[in-house]
Amino acid sequence: MKYLFLMIYLISFSGLSQVISERDRASLKDRILEKRLDSLLPVLMDETEIDMWVLIAREYNEDPVLKTMLPSTWLNARRRTIIVFYRDSAKNTFSKQAIARYDVGNLIDAAWNKEEQPNQWLALTALIEEKKPKKIGVNMSNDFNIADGLVKTDYDLLVKNLPEAYKNKITSAEKLAVRWIETRIPEEMEIYKELVSITHTIIAEAFSTNVIKPGKTTTDDVVWWLRQKVTDMGLETWFHPTVDIQRKDAVLLSEKEAFSSRQDKDVIQPGDLIHCDFGITYLGLNTDCQQHAYVLKNYENEVPDYLKTVFTNGNKVQDHLTDNFKTNQTGNEILLKSLSISKSDGLKPSIYTHPLGLYGHSAGPAIGMWDAQKGVKGTGDYPLYPNTVYAIELNTTVNVPEWNKDIRIMLEEAGFWGEDGFRYVNGRQTELISIPKR
């Protein structure tokens, strides 16, 4: 694993403008996948008491979990790809096999000789009979979309070809799939720190006079600058960014309107409070960040004190939320306690924090939704586990006498929950950005 640590070192110290080459990204991603498969997955299978996990997908219709297990040179599954993981905890053995025509990269060997056994399903059956699993986990889930990747066609064919003695051993691998998706290893967290730093740096440039010319630049101009910047850096956005404005003479939108009716062509003016929602994808991980900036008026040398005070209320809600993180507490329990404490502190909070990682809106405990502040059925009942990452996403509504209206401070930062507690992956915004910077 020496090369893996060397690559992480280079990422951390090469400077934010240096995004590593496609070849180096591929090598790093494969090394991390190898460690996740060989070191993390057997532990998760023991934890969830599933000794055989069968993942089935066809090209361009990939199971979201299986897609995270494909090597860097496999952008999609090939034909019908079946991967079987088997864990014998008593013997402390673990096997990875593909019932496919091809090896899945260098990590999973093909275990199907079509010339000897033309029927792929019977080849799978033979492997199952050889291993004699107690449980056969497949990706079916009512609550977690990412863990529900087994399509009906493949499920029906699996059951049809499975010997009668094994049909009652099929079980949902929901918890195993979610644990695989949500759990981060130390090497990934080193990359995550850099990834969040890159995200912050892009936002800082977007919220500067390099991009924004007050009286000329529109919110849509900034959105497309963000998209182009990411593309020029050789990265990807995992959702279309948004940039919106709050100002003294404009009505505060409801939360529903704020989420569905963005101001595409507002011209940014001095005195505007600007907000962005922006996230990128790099090396298989995702960020999700919301920050604010204030456009100084000609006579102003800094952000007005009343806006500085308002902004701290957003940080207070963040603190009340993350102070209530506790392993084995459900998302709903964390949500309700955090809202109660925030309200007792005189705040008007709304919390809609979500898991973050291999996907942007990832699998794990939902800690509220903007339209579900009393709890989220299903995903909100899932507990918090260590070594997981969250988009600490929330807002608080604050009355501003100077504007004679309410404004909303909307914040989002990547946070890590580990054995030692909570920390932000790479800091958080604690002061409004000023445009121009003073």
Side-chain angles (χ1 to χ4, degrees):
M1 300 293 287
K2 285 185 178 179
Y3 184 74
L4 173 59
F5 288 105
L6 174 61
M7 288 304 303
I8 291 172
Y9 177 87
L10 290 174
I11 290 171
S12 299
F13 296 98
S14 61
L16 295 180
S17 63
Q18 300 297 315
V19 174
I20 62 176
S21 70
E22 287 289 347
R23 177 177 286 187
D24 287 339
R25 289 188 219 186
S27 179
L28 181 55
K29 287 175 67 175
D30 287 346
R31 295 278 183 166
I32 289 175
L33 178 57
E34 180 180 13
K35 185 166 185 182
R36 283 178 58 83
L37 288 174
D38 292 340
S39 300
L40 174 62
L41 185 52
V43 174
L44 297 180
M45 292 182 75
D46 288 347
E47 176 189 306
T48 56
E49 299 181 335
I50 290 179
D51 56 340
M52 178 173 282
W53 194 10
V54 178
L55 297 97
I56 309 170
R58 282 176 287 170
E59 195 167 9
Y60 309 129
N61 191 29
E62 286 78 18
D63 177 323
V65 176
L66 183 143
K67 198 168 180 67
T68 69
M69 296 171 170
L70 298 178
S72 59
T73 54
W74 280 45
L75 303 186
N76 300 93
R78 296 181 181 173
R79 301 184 183 179
R80 176 178 273 110
T81 297
I82 302 175
I83 299 176
V84 179
F85 300 106
Y86 179 68
R87 168 66 172 165
D88 188 328
S89 56
K91 295 180 180 178
N92 195 26
T93 59
F94 176 66
S95 63
K96 306 167 294 186
Q97 294 171 285
I99 310 301
R101 292 288 282 165
Y102 313 94
D103 293 339
V104 182
N106 297 319
L107 301 180
I108 304 174
D109 293 334
W112 177 34
N113 186 328
K114 188 175 181 180
E115 285 65 41
E116 292 182 3
Q117 172 51 268
N119 189 313
Q120 187 179 17
W121 294 102
L122 293 182
L124 172 61
T125 295
L127 179 62
I128 291 172
E129 290 182 310
E130 174 193 332
K131 299 297 186 182
K132 297 180 174 56
K134 298 175 184 176
K135 292 183 180 179
I136 302 172
V138 295
N139 290 345
M140 302 183 299
S141 173
N142 287 324
D143 297 323
F144 293 94
N145 55 317
I146 294 173
D148 192 37
L150 181 62
V151 300
K152 185 177 187 301
T153 299
D154 287 333
Y155 174 79
D156 288 346
L157 287 169
L158 171 64
V159 173
K160 178 181 177 181
N161 287 279
L162 204 59
E164 225 29 72
Y166 287 96
K167 290 182 180 180
N168 64 356
K169 296 182 184 295
I170 294 178
T171 187
S172 168
E174 176 188 271
K175 186 174 181 181
L176 176 56
V178 174
R179 295 290 291 123
W180 166 263
I181 291 292
E182 73 174 348
T183 306
R184 304 276 68 79
I185 62 174
E187 291 82 359
E188 289 176 296
M189 292 314 302
E190 289 296 321
I191 293 171
Y192 232 137
K193 185 176 181 180
E194 180 71 6
L195 181 57
V196 174
S197 179
I198 292 171
T199 306
H200 287 166
T201 300
I202 294 172
I203 292 173
E205 186 176 357
F207 283 170
S208 77
T209 53
N210 289 347
V211 177
I212 295 175
K213 311 300 181 189
K216 295 182 179 180
T217 306
T218 68
T219 52
D220 207 38
D221 291 335
V222 182
V223 165
W224 286 107
W225 181 91
L226 288 166
R227 288 290 302 268
Q228 191 63 51
K229 179 70 173 182
V230 171
T231 298
D232 291 346
M233 292 180 69
L235 306 173
E236 295 179 359
T237 52
W238 70 269
F239 65 94
H240 187 61
T242 59
V243 176
D244 51 84
I245 293 169
Q246 295 180 86
R247 53 170 61 118
K248 185 175 182 179
D249 58 354
V251 175
L252 178 65
L253 297 176
S254 69
E255 283 194 281
K256 180 179 179 180
E257 291 171 321
F259 278 96
S260 61
S261 304
R262 298 293 186 176
Q263 306 147 306
D264 291 338
K265 308 220 185 286
D266 267 4
V267 177
I268 297 170
Q269 303 285 358
D272 284 348
L273 182 64
I274 311 174
H275 161 263
C276 73
D277 191 353
F278 172 64
I280 63 176
T281 302
Y282 182 42
L283 291 167
L285 297 171
N286 297 271
T287 62
D288 200 351
C289 187
Q290 295 182 51
Q291 294 195 349
H292 288 268
Y294 175 75
V295 184
L296 299 177
K297 296 179 180 179
N298 291 335
Y299 59 84
E300 292 175 323
N301 292 316
E302 62 178 348
V303 176
D305 287 341
Y306 65 86
L307 286 180
K308 293 180 183 178
T309 300
V310 164
F311 187 81
T312 62
N313 285 319
N315 289 149
K316 287 179 182 178
V317 178
Q318 287 176 324
D319 291 340
H320 290 318
L321 170 60
T322 59
D323 285 349
N324 283 302
F325 273 33
K326 185 178 179 182
T327 297
N328 293 324
Q329 290 281 294
T330 67
N332 288 334
E333 289 170 333
I334 294 168
L335 169 71
L336 296 177
K337 188 173 182 180
S338 302
L339 287 173
S340 176
I341 293 173
S342 295
K343 290 174 182 177
S344 70
D345 197 20
L347 302 168
K348 296 181 180 179
S350 179
I351 294 172
Y352 33 95
T353 287
H354 60 84
L356 186 67
L358 301 180
Y359 290 94
H361 290 150
S362 199
I367 307 175
M369 292 184 179
W370 69 267
D371 55 353
Q373 290 295 286
K374 294 183 179 180
V376 182
K377 184 179 180 180
T379 56
D381 298 317
Y382 186 86
L384 188 73
Y385 285 94
N387 302 316
T388 50
V389 175
Y390 301 87
I392 306 301
E393 185 177 12
L394 46 78
N395 74 60
T396 185
T397 302
V398 187
N399 184 261
V400 180
E402 291 81 357
W403 286 9
N404 193 32
K405 59 177 285 188
D406 287 344
I407 66 172
R408 189 176 293 119
I409 299 299
M410 297 165 279
L411 297 175
E412 189 170 16
E413 292 286 0
F416 174 76
W417 176 249
E419 299 290 352
D420 298 325
F422 177 86
R423 62 177 170 82
Y424 285 98
V425 173
N426 197 356
R428 61 171 172 168
Q429 184 181 19
T430 56
E431 295 180 354
L432 284 168
I433 298 168
S434 69
I435 305 174
K437 189 173 182 180
R438 300 296 195 194

